[in-house]
Amino acid sequence: MRQTFDVAVVGAGAAGLMAAIFAAREGARVVALDGAKRLGAKILISGGGRCNVTHDVVHPADFNGSRNAIAKVLRTFDVPATIDFFRDLGVVLKREETGKLFPVTDRAATVLDALVGAARDVGVEIRTGFRVESIEGSGRLVRSSSRADETSAPHFTINGDLHAKRVILATGGRSVPKTGSDGHGYVLARRLGHTVTNVFPALVPLVLDHWLTKLSGTSVEVELILRGVNHRERGSMLFTHFGLSGPVVLDMSRHWVEARGAGREAQLIANFLPDETFESLESQLLAANPHLTFATFLHRRGIPERLADALGSGMIGKMTREQRRNAIRSVIE
Ligand SMILES: Cc1cc2nc3c(=O)[nH]c(=O)nc-3n(C[C@H](O)[C@H](O)[C@H](O)COP(=O)(O)OP(=O)(O)OC[C@H]3O[C@@H](n4cnc5c(N)ncnc54)[C@H](O)[C@@H]3O)c2cc1C
């Protein structure tokens, strides 16, 4: 088996396969190494199994990191180029109402098969079950007497016996480690002298030890406010058996995790009636039919029945001032 390559790509997920395809298209001899026995576990779970390939509008501001570096990447391979790239591989994308682009087959496997097929077609050698434990090499050119030797000399040695002039680390992040991306890539990068930025979970549901988890399956439109950080997000929140999920929670999660990781005092507040203030809700409550229950009052304003029942079942007319004010706070603070 050949053991010397121009480029070794470590990790053959979405990023590694793309890197391998483009390097091989430039004429490089490329090997793609992946610790997993079967490729593309993360592609297969992406987009709920349908793989949301891109969005019809993509801005640098949508990404975390250096705006200039991101803008450069997006200019080099923009949305039309992405659509063309996949169309050339036989993957036709459709735009959904949200602006998200999915394969017309609604199957993430279409995307995975196309990438693996394209890599093989252009001569990439794919080795699965090949976990990279060590990469030795400085990344500097090996000096030698002849220019030919200098350019052909391998500069990196992988796991002691595979050589490559260049290495592309595409080992993924840390999400869903059972898909193969368990963070060892960071170790490899550090050993090669790179600085690894602080990484933390984002776009994740939140675990909550609270009676609200009894409402598992209920979803509600809310404004989430992160006190102490002064960040707000509006959208749909889903109660689950372990805590909170839904788009607004996923969007808020990185702010919460970052604040907690930095040891900052932060408190997550849900406003179940985001268009109301304490005062507007109190005046509506004072004007409401006193025979209505507080739950019915809330339900009529769009709060799902199960949540409204949980927030208060007393009759409005029998509430003391203190009870009324506490009830309002439970809804919007
Ligand atoms: C539930 C979920 C849904 C998602 N939905 C979408 C979506 O719809 N659209 C979207 O654009 N993004 C989505 N994402 C994000 C997207 O899946 C990832 O950003 C993308 O797959 C990352 O690709 P990657 O190649 O960087 O890393 P990965 O896909 O994690 O690939 C890294 C590869 O490296 C291998 N590897 C790791 N360490 C080693 C080692 N030491 N030696 C050898 N191999 C190694 C792993 O086995 C793995 O195959 C979703 C993510 C999740 C978790």
Side-chain angles (χ1 to χ4, degrees), residues 131-138 159 169 184-196:
R131 183 174 162 84
V132 172
E133 294 296 344
S134 72
I135 304 174
E136 304 297 331
S138 65
N159 287 1
L169 264 189
H184 189 62
Y186 299 131
V187 176
L188 296 172
R190 277 197 199 94
R191 281 192 205 143
L192 287 167
H194 291 283
T195 304
V196 177

Side-chain angles (χ1 to χ4, degrees), residues 10-17 33-36 38-43 45-48 50-54 102 130-133 170-176 179-185 188:
V10 183
L17 287 170
L33 311 167
D34 203 294
R38 299 187 67 168
L39 291 183
K42 204 165 282 167
I43 295 177
I45 59 170
S46 68
R50 297 195 301 135
C51 190
N52 171 201
V53 174
T54 186
F102 289 89
F130 191 113
R131 183 174 162 84
V132 172
E133 294 296 344
T171 43
R174 271 203 174 125
S175 64
V176 203
T179 60
S181 51
D182 59 1
H184 189 62
L188 296 172

Side-chain angles (χ1 to χ4, degrees), residues 1-328:
M1 198 183 280
R2 189 172 62 185
Q3 294 288 44
T4 301
F5 296 86
D6 293 322
V7 177
V9 181
V10 183
L17 287 170
M18 288 294 276
I21 292 166
F22 279 88
R25 282 182 179 180
E26 292 299 315
R29 283 171 301 141
V30 181
V31 65
L33 311 167
D34 203 294
K37 290 216 165 55
R38 299 187 67 168
L39 291 183
K42 204 165 282 167
I43 295 177
L44 292 177
I45 59 170
S46 68
R50 297 195 301 135
C51 190
N52 171 201
V53 174
T54 186
H55 197 278
D56 67 347
V57 184
V58 179
H59 288 298
D62 298 333
F63 296 81
N64 197 18
S66 153
R67 287 284 146 80
N68 285 344
I70 291 161
K72 203 169 149 194
V73 171
L74 295 180
R75 268 198 309 275
T76 312
F77 197 69
D78 58 12
V79 175
T82 309
I83 295 169
D84 289 349
F85 170 82
F86 280 102
R87 198 199 37 235
D88 290 347
L89 302 189
V91 181
V92 179
L93 302 177
K94 59 168 174 173
R95 180 192 180 282
E96 299 199 338
E97 254 177 41
T98 53
K100 294 176 180 177
L101 272 74
F102 289 89
V104 288
T105 58
D106 280 328
R107 291 179 66 241
T110 309
V111 174
L112 174 61
D113 294 347
L115 290 175
V116 173
R120 292 213 162 104
D121 286 350
V122 74
V124 175
E125 190 177 315
I126 298 176
R127 296 194 193 171
T128 51
F130 191 113
R131 183 174 162 84
V132 172
E133 294 296 344
S134 72
I135 304 174
E136 304 297 331
S138 65
R140 279 180 279 119
L141 279 178
V142 176
R143 292 280 158 215
S144 80
S145 51
S146 91
R147 175 135 184 88
D149 280 356
E150 183 174 291
T151 48
S152 63
H155 307 144
F156 295 94
T157 303
I158 294 174
N159 287 1
D161 65 353
L162 189 145
H163 307 286
K165 284 191 243 171
R166 297 282 185 272
V167 169
I168 297 174
L169 264 189
T171 43
R174 271 203 174 125
S175 64
V176 203
K178 66 180 178 204
T179 60
S181 51
D182 59 1
H184 189 62
Y186 299 131
V187 176
L188 296 172
R190 277 197 199 94
R191 281 192 205 143
L192 287 167
H194 291 283
T195 304
V196 177
T197 53
N198 179 30
V199 291
F200 52 85
L203 283 174
V204 285
L206 298 176
V207 177
L208 187 69
D209 185 11
H210 195 276
W211 61 263
L212 281 170
T213 54
K214 293 203 179 99
L215 301 176
S216 175
T218 304
S219 91
V220 56
E221 290 299 309
V222 292
E223 180 173 53
L224 288 183
I225 304 144
L226 191 56
R227 278 208 191 129
V229 174
N230 205 13
H231 186 82
R232 291 164 185 263
E233 298 272 358
R234 268 195 194 205
S236 176
M237 178 166 89
L238 173 71
F239 296 102
T240 70
H241 64 282
F242 60 78
L244 303 173
S245 190
V248 71
V249 174
L250 298 188
D251 286 343
M252 179 58 94
S253 62
R254 79 183 162 96
H255 301 281
W256 167 256
V257 175
E258 190 176 17
R260 294 288 298 259
R264 288 166 74 178
E265 281 289 317
Q267 203 184 2
L268 191 61
I269 310 287
N271 181 345
F272 297 119
L273 289 174
D275 293 322
E276 302 292 350
T277 61
F278 185 94
E279 291 72 26
S280 69
L281 208 56
E282 184 169 43
S283 63
Q284 286 175 46
L285 204 48
L286 288 169
N289 177 347
H291 301 296
L292 279 185
T293 63
F294 185 57
T296 307
F297 171 85
L298 293 178
H299 186 47
R300 286 185 182 174
R301 278 157 185 77
I303 293 188
E305 211 164 355
R306 283 177 74 200
L307 175 60
D309 286 345
L311 289 171
S313 53
M315 211 180 278
I316 291 174
K318 290 195 173 160
M319 283 172 146
T320 64
R321 182 171 183 270
E322 195 53 27
Q323 284 169 336
R324 190 174 62 239
R325 296 176 78 88
N326 284 341
I328 295 170

